[in-house]
Amino acid sequence: MFSAFLIKYGEIGIKGKNRYLFEEALVHQIKYALSRIDGEFEVKVNQGRVYVEALSDFDFDDAVTELKTVFGIVGICPVVYVEDEGIERLAEVVCDYMKKTYPDSDKSFNAVSGRSAEEPAGFEASKKSGRITTFKVAARRARKSYPLDSMEINAYLGEKILDVMPNMRVDVHKPDITLTVEVREKIYIYSEIIKGPGGMPIGTNGKGTLLLSGGIDSPVAGYMVSKRGVWIDAVYFHAPPYTSERAKQKVVDLARKISRYTGTIHLKVVNFTDIQMYIYEKCPHDELTIIMRRYMMRIAEHFAREGGSMGLITGESIGQVASQTMQSLLTTNAVCTLPVYRPLIAFDKMDIIKVAESIDTYETSILPYEDCCTIFVAKHPVTKPVLERIEKSELKLSEDIDRLLKEAIDTTETIVVRYV
Ligand code: ATP
Ligand code: MG
């Protein structure tokens, strides 16, 4: 029945030129989301509104599922639109719309009249409590030349609806159903709002570089930051032959899963083995993890600057493991010159898992493939590293580390990941 969607988005802070950029980014992401389903769509901005019009048959549920992945969308309104062929014809379409959208509203469930102040509005709520369903028509005339004004349209259509749905009532103050009729070039009819993900469209807040491992946390961290409109690049540290091809594939799969929301991700796969071996050879083993993490940050920062990112993103959370105590974070952070965004910093694992499940990364994250950090990990890593001591240990690497860093950077593979 529906042939279009009206997209509602948050309007805070999007005035003037920003509004144009915001809408352009939103349209871009909507097209990306809908390219994944069968059907042809046109996405357009018209007088401060974004419309998606179907140019062919399409699956309604699929379209809604994909639109729900577009950050910036607050509400998705399924729309029926008609050519303007006079008010009588419009009334027919509107009545048909109401009967189809709210079937059974004339059945015995709505025997009780009135809704108490605490009771929620909505058709389903009215059905549940067995009271009468109320509605109002809210006409809006963007085209002022239309022969009737909005009050007249409301009255005319309201009456026609009551004729075909005698068990509904009009309530202009707190209706269960608000039927919006927008008179533009065509006439748009809608009454339902499906909740969108919120956030800001990708690309409206620059770019960040995600340190993406195969774990549970980092995909969630990337998803969360990108929800604020941040475009994501990713870096993965790979240690063949200690870590396998399938461990790498798992990271590619995770990048792919989050790219459903974030858009295209350029994933850098850094060969970290030689650096890890060198640290293992030269430095105290209980400091391995911390020193390794400092080199990860340095390399990630190199790629971040090269790719125009304005910050690093990690899945770190205070106290989760030895390398994430406050002292460890301080020591790791000391090598960074870009801001490091850690959206999970105060999250409990259970809450991180909930998000991972909701974005469908959890099942992939828990596949039991080896991680480059766990292979060289000491039995008793330092939990309270002292920065000066770590810096001193790193001096033992001075002979070869620059060459190894350059080699790691030069041999890095870039994989372009897209959700299609
Ligand atoms: P995750 O579940 O994200 O792997 P974790 O609990 O295993 O996190 P750590 O191994 O201490 O924690 O890693 C902390 C953060 O460092 C990760 O969230 C990720 O951002 C980054 N990181 C760790 N290992 C790698 C890696 N091999 N490649 C890229 N980034 C990594
Ligand atoms: Mg990890």
Side-chain angles (χ1 to χ4, degrees):
M1 168 168 94
F2 297 106
S3 45
F5 296 95
L6 166 66
I7 304 298
K8 301 211 176 215
Y9 48 90
E11 300 196 28
I12 302 159
I14 48 164
K15 302 220 165 65
K17 186 167 152 261
N18 283 344
R19 173 180 207 114
Y20 170 75
L21 294 174
F22 186 100
E23 287 169 346
E24 194 178 41
L26 187 63
V27 167
H28 184 270
Q29 284 307 115
I30 291 173
K31 286 181 179 165
Y32 172 62
L34 292 173
S35 71
R36 302 194 281 259
I37 65 168
D38 290 336
E40 230 187 292
F41 299 90
E42 191 181 4
V43 186
K44 46 187 183 184
V45 184
N46 188 340
Q47 298 172 350
R49 280 163 180 265
V50 173
Y51 290 94
V52 175
E53 288 187 11
L55 307 176
S56 67
D57 283 346
F58 70 102
D59 185 282
F60 178 79
D61 293 336
D62 288 351
V64 170
T65 302
E66 293 310 326
L67 288 172
K68 280 182 172 175
T69 67
V70 178
F71 295 144
I73 295 183
V74 172
I76 303 158
C77 306
V79 172
V80 167
Y81 64 85
V82 283
E83 299 294 335
D84 179 12
E85 292 169 347
I87 188 80
E88 293 84 9
R89 171 73 191 131
L90 176 61
E92 275 173 38
V93 176
V94 162
C95 289
D96 186 51
Y97 171 96
M98 289 295 279
K99 281 196 285 188
K100 280 190 183 141
T101 313
Y102 306 105
D104 300 337
S105 61
D106 55 349
K107 296 281 158 55
S108 56
F109 71 78
N110 50 17
V112 188
S113 71
R115 164 159 66 94
S116 63
E118 311 83 62
E119 225 187 291
F123 176 59
E124 290 307 321
S126 71
K127 226 163 131 173
K128 217 164 146 189
S129 68
R131 62 175 166 73
I132 283 178
T133 310
T134 58
F135 77 98
K136 79 167 177 185
V137 182
R140 262 191 235 149
R141 273 191 328 165
R143 172 155 57 90
K144 297 292 176 204
S145 64
Y146 195 75
L148 277 71
D149 70 21
S150 17
M151 295 298 276
E152 290 166 331
I153 302 173
N154 291 345
Y156 186 86
L157 295 178
E159 216 164 286
K160 293 287 179 189
I161 293 169
L162 288 171
D163 285 349
V164 295
M165 304 182 96
N167 286 332
M168 278 205 182
R169 294 281 180 276
V170 172
D171 179 345
V172 292
H173 301 294
K174 285 183 180 166
D176 293 312
I177 300 162
T178 300
L179 178 81
T180 305
V181 176
E182 280 189 15
V183 179
R184 295 171 178 267
E185 257 333 285
K186 291 174 191 156
I187 301 176
Y188 296 78
I189 302 158
Y190 59 90
S191 61
E192 291 289 293
I193 301 183
I194 301 163
K195 202 167 178 289
M200 320 255 302
I202 301 296
T204 52
N205 270 318
K207 187 155 66 167
T209 293
L210 170 67
L211 282 88
L212 180 63
S213 68
I216 297 167
D217 307 327
S218 44
V220 172
Y223 164 83
M224 284 176 64
V225 171
S226 87
K227 191 171 174 187
R228 298 308 304 159
V230 177
W231 201 281
I232 301 284
D233 274 348
V235 184
Y236 165 58
F237 296 91
H238 186 41
Y242 303 99
T243 58
S244 63
E245 265 312 292
R246 12 171 242 188
K248 171 177 155 189
Q249 187 57 45
K250 174 178 162 184
V251 175
V252 175
D253 292 345
L254 286 171
R256 192 177 152 271
K257 290 208 161 177
I258 59 168
S259 75
R260 182 175 189 184
Y261 303 89
T262 68
T264 308
I265 293 177
H266 288 84
L267 171 66
K268 303 273 184 197
V269 180
V270 182
N271 186 336
F272 204 47
T273 315
D274 292 346
I275 293 175
Q276 259 181 316
M277 298 289 278
Y278 191 51
I279 301 171
Y280 190 74
E281 196 183 304
K282 301 280 183 191
C283 300
H285 287 185
D286 61 348
E287 293 174 1
L288 267 178
T289 310
I290 287 292
I291 294 176
M292 218 173 64
R293 296 201 48 72
R294 284 162 56 93
Y295 279 100
M296 281 188 183
M297 290 302 212
R298 288 175 173 117
I299 295 173
E301 205 166 86
H302 166 87
F303 287 119
R305 290 193 185 282
E306 189 185 76
S309 278
M310 287 179 272
L312 301 180
I313 304 159
T314 76
E316 288 161 313
S317 163
I318 295 172
Q320 206 187 73
V321 288
S323 60
Q324 295 177 32
T325 62
M326 292 280 273
Q327 290 91 335
S328 299
L329 288 166
L330 184 151
T331 314
T332 311
N333 202 69
V335 297
C336 301
T337 56
L338 286 175
V340 182
Y341 297 102
R342 302 177 170 94
L344 306 181
I345 199 70
F347 272 49
D348 288 349
K349 196 76 184 186
M350 281 318 294
D351 296 325
I352 300 171
I353 289 175
K354 270 186 214 148
V355 185
E357 283 171 339
S358 76
I359 62 171
D360 191 33
T361 52
Y362 183 69
E363 291 300 321
T364 308
S365 289
I366 58 173
L367 292 172
Y369 307 145
E370 60 297 314
D371 174 4
C372 78
C373 309
T374 51
I375 285 158
F376 296 92
V377 91
K379 279 213 179 65
H380 302 288
V382 281
T383 52
K384 293 184 178 168
V386 177
L387 182 57
E388 291 70 29
R389 201 176 302 157
I390 299 290
E391 283 171 343
K392 213 164 141 206
S393 299
E394 281 181 5
L395 291 176
K396 299 182 184 133
L397 303 171
S398 53
E399 195 183 326
D400 242 359
I401 194 71
D402 288 346
R403 182 183 64 81
L404 292 175
L405 281 173
K406 184 172 182 317
E407 209 170 274
I409 286 166
D410 289 347
T411 57
T412 291
E413 175 192 8
T414 305
I415 303 175
V416 179
V417 184
R418 221 174 136 75
Y419 194 91
V420 282

